[in-house]
Amino acid sequence: AEEVGGDDKEVVKQYFNNSGFQRWKKIYGETDDVNRVQLDIRLGHSKTIENAIKMLQDEGSLSGVTVCDAGCGVGSLSIPLAKQGAIVSASDISAAMVAEAEKQAREELTNGAVMPKFEVKDLESLDGKYDTVVCLDVLIHYPQNKADGMIARLASLAQNRLILSFAPKTLYYDLLKRVGELFPGPSKATRAYLHSEADVERALRKVGWRIRKRGLITTQFYFARLVEAVPA
Ligand code: SAM
C-alpha cells in the first residue's frame, strides 16, 4: 500500500477546481461528448443517485426535511431533493463545483421549489444539525484513516440518518484494472481509495451509529456501496 501524506485534501481540491471539474461536469451531465467509459460511469452514478433518493423516500415525504449534501458536486442529488421539498444545504470543497451546481439549480428549480443553500466548504468544517446527511462518492478520494474522521464528522451533523457511498474494497482486484480509466492521462491528479465495508461499519459504530440498509451499484467501470446508517 502507498504511504499517504497529509495533502490529499489540497490535491483533491485543486483537481476538482481544474481538470477534475471539467471531467466530472461532463460525466455528470447529459452531453454526447463522453467516451464509452465515461458514459458507463455516468450510468453507474445516476443509479447511485436514484437509489439514494429511494432510500431517502422510504421514511416518507421529503417535504420540509433538512438535508446536508456534503460534497455536492454539480448538484446531482441536491437539485432533485429540492424539487421534492427538502430543505437542502449543499456544500463542496470545490468552488467550481458549487458554482456549477448553483447555476444548474437556478435553471431547473423554477416553480416554487426552495433553492438549496450552496456553500464552498470542506465537509470537515461543516456544522449545524440536519435531519439527514448524505455524502456520495466523496470517500473514494481519501484513505481509510481520513475517512474515519470524515464519517465521524458527518454523523455528528445528522440527527436521524446518514447515507454514504464508497467504492467497496471487495471488488478491489476488478477495480484495480479499471481505476486507471477513472483518472486517465494528464488529469491523473488524484487516486481512488477503496474502503472495506467492515472499516466503514467500524467507523460508524465508534460514534454510536449502525448500518440499517445497504445497496450495491455496479456497472462495468463503476462500483459503489451505498449504506444508510442510523443512531444505534
Ligand atoms: N456527491 C456528488 C455526486 O455524487 O454527484 C459529487 C461526487 S464527486 C466524485 C466528489 C466531490 O467531492 C467533488 O465535487 C469534490 O470537490 C468533493 N470533495 C472532495 N473532498 C471533499 C471534502 N473534503 N469536503 C467536501 N467536498 C469534497
Side-chain angles (χ1 to χ4, degrees):
E2 205 172 296
E3 206 49 55
V4 183
D7 60 348
D8 300 79
K9 200 157 86 175
E10 197 47 42
V11 170
V12 169
K13 180 177 167 180
Q14 289 301 327
Y15 173 72
F16 279 106
N17 270 319
N18 296 285
S19 62
F21 170 65
Q22 297 304 334
R23 173 176 168 76
W24 289 97
K25 181 175 82 159
K26 208 161 73 172
I27 291 174
Y28 293 156
E30 286 170 353
T31 53
D32 292 334
D33 56 342
V34 284
N35 63 35
R36 198 174 61 83
V37 173
Q38 292 170 333
L39 190 62
D40 178 83
I41 295 171
R42 178 189 282 176
L43 177 70
H45 174 259
S46 70
K47 286 190 192 181
T48 295
I49 296 291
E50 211 176 284
N51 289 9
I53 291 174
K54 272 196 207 122
M55 264 185 184
L56 284 160
Q57 287 171 331
D58 270 358
E59 306 302 310
S61 164
L62 291 173
S63 183
V65 174
T66 52
V67 180
C68 167
D69 182 8
C72 65
V74 297
S76 309
L77 178 72
S78 284
I79 295 169
L81 292 184
K83 282 183 184 158
Q84 295 190 31
I87 312 300
V88 181
S89 296
S91 55
D92 198 286
I93 196 172
S94 157
M97 284 287 189
V98 173
E100 180 63 25
E102 203 160 3
K103 178 178 156 232
Q104 291 190 16
R106 282 223 188 76
E107 283 165 19
E108 286 183 47
L109 298 174
T110 41
N111 38 15
V114 179
M115 273 286 278
K117 181 179 165 223
F118 289 102
E119 249 183 318
V120 182
K121 225 172 189 191
D122 59 68
L123 65 88
E124 292 82 355
S125 41
L126 288 175
D127 44 31
K129 285 282 180 197
Y130 307 88
D131 177 90
T132 301
V133 174
V134 190
C135 185
L136 301 182
D137 293 4
V138 177
L139 295 178
I140 190 168
H141 303 297
Y142 298 93
Q144 188 62 46
N145 64 346
K146 290 255 177 77
D148 277 6
M150 294 166 82
I151 290 169
R153 181 89 207 174
L154 294 166
S156 78
L157 304 170
Q159 279 163 326
N160 291 313
R161 38 179 194 188
L162 172 58
I163 293 181
L164 296 172
S165 71
F166 56 93
K169 214 170 203 166
T170 40
L171 295 160
Y172 183 65
Y173 292 104
D174 265 321
L175 248 171
L176 258 193
K177 289 184 235 150
R178 296 168 167 123
V179 154
E181 311 220 35
L182 277 170
F183 302 105
S187 66
K188 208 182 189 128
T190 65
R191 52 160 297 184
Y193 294 96
L194 311 172
H195 301 282
S196 86
E197 203 172 324
D199 287 340
V200 171
E201 202 154 11
R202 195 176 315 115
L204 285 163
R205 232 186 356 250
K206 219 161 56 183
V207 291
W209 287 63
R210 66 178 171 89
I211 295 178
R212 171 166 76 177
K213 278 180 207 157
R214 297 159 213 265
L216 184 67
I217 297 98
T218 65
T219 61
Q220 211 180 346
F221 297 100
Y222 177 95
F223 301 89
R225 171 60 89 187
L226 184 67
V227 299
E228 181 189 66
V230 292

